Amino acid sequence: MKLPPFSVHRPESVQEASRLLAELGDEAAAYCGGTELLLAMKLGLAEYAHLVDLKRVAALHGVTSSGTSLRIGASTTHYELESSPQVRAWCPAFAAMTSEVANIRVRSVGTLGGNLCFADPHSDPATFLIAAGASMLCRKAADTRRVPAAEFVTGPYQTVLEPGELLVAVELPALPDQAGIGHVRMKLHERPIVTVTAMVQLTGGAVSHALLAIGSVNAVPLSADAAASLLGAGTGDFDARADACARQAAIAVRPLSDGDSSPEYLRHLVYVHSRRALTEAFAAARDASS
Ligand SMILES: Cc1cc2nc3c(=O)[nH]c(=O)nc-3n(C[C@H](O)[C@H](O)[C@H](O)COP(=O)(O)OP(=O)(O)OC[C@H]3O[C@@H](n4cnc5c(N)ncnc54)[C@H](O)[C@@H]3O)c2cc1C
């Protein structure tokens, strides 16, 4: 495997990177850690005469809190996230999810932005961020827009980003009061074949809000409003209602046929993992309420 020749551009601002990408058009791609893009180029699956290296763009790095949300620069590596005291304090479940991505070699250079923008269906963060109600901050030249996480991925290896537009940061809101998150996933080889994140919020001990996001099975992560089936559920009936909700989720998915697993098996995994994620989220919400 040998990389074809290409020129590297090293912008130092988002505006400069955006301008370069717009000017160079289809001949160019952005990259940060390169764990996806350089591999795709080595395998002959992508070819670019110009690569725009984002590593020197300071505005894409770092984690800051606004009080209501945590702003995570797109070029933050998975390792920086899992080891950040600020991220661990803000959302321990997010830090824990990140620590399960790939292996330490990939996590040390691979970035959150690269993961989201590559939009491989078999991934963890997009699913988590949907259930957590996150937003993506995108910028093209001087124009900035905020895209809900549930709308960012539009297909396998496709996102809402326009040519010349960059993902600048992810905004992770604070978890609502008395809420908990559960994230579970399973992999057979390198990447997950099922990824489920549930968010459950309680009011007076009963479910007042619930979300279920399912990834790595469909072409794009599926966002299911679990509130309808779980609203009002409490300690006595949560298990039975979570079971029904998980069964509905298994019916709703349209499993990809890009692996060795049958659609029936994948649906079963969605059922089992949805149930588990909901149970974990409910337990975390109860802990947060006590
Ligand atoms: C062996 C292996 C195992 C893996 N296992 C998992 C797993 O278990 N779970 C999981 O979720 N993922 C997994 N991954 C994926 C991994 O998380 C990604 O490879 C990594 O996060 C990509 O980041 P990067 O910076 O290297 O991306 P790059 O390769 O640099 O870029 C990827 C794509 O994103 C675009 N891009 C990058 N940054 C921006 C930006 N700021 N704005 C616009 N476009 C941008 C690039 O143009 C390119 O198309 C695995 C990968 C490998 C190689």
Side-chain angles (χ1 to χ4, degrees), residues 207-249:
V207 175
S208 52
H209 184 40
L211 272 172
L212 190 62
I214 298 154
S216 304
V217 177
N218 270 22
V220 294
L222 181 78
S223 171
D225 184 0
S229 36
L230 291 174
L231 207 62
T235 313
D237 62 349
F238 184 84
D239 283 353
R241 290 175 66 178
D243 187 84
C245 180
R247 286 184 195 281
Q248 282 304 317

Side-chain angles (χ1 to χ4, degrees), residues 104-205:
I104 187 64
R105 186 184 58 81
V106 172
R107 290 202 303 281
S108 299
V109 287
T111 62
L112 179 63
N115 182 298
L116 295 167
C117 295
F118 197 64
D120 186 310
H122 300 279
S123 68
D124 293 276
T127 310
F128 189 101
L129 293 170
I130 290 171
S135 305
M136 314 302 189
L137 210 61
C138 309
R139 186 164 163 195
K140 181 175 180 174
D143 297 333
T144 302
R145 63 175 170 148
R146 198 171 261 104
V147 179
E151 293 168 22
F152 186 73
V153 176
T154 53
Y157 313 104
Q158 285 170 5
T159 68
V160 293
L161 290 178
E162 293 172 3
E165 189 172 29
L166 292 169
L167 174 64
V168 174
V170 171
E171 289 179 339
L172 182 62
L175 205 56
D177 285 344
Q178 302 183 42
I181 283 200
H183 175 81
V184 291
R185 38 101 80 182
M186 181 178 133
K187 62 178 184 174
L188 295 175
H189 303 293
E190 280 178 341
R191 300 196 182 217
I193 58 167
V194 62
T195 312
V196 184
T197 312
M199 196 284 293
V200 168
Q201 185 177 13
L202 304 178
T203 303

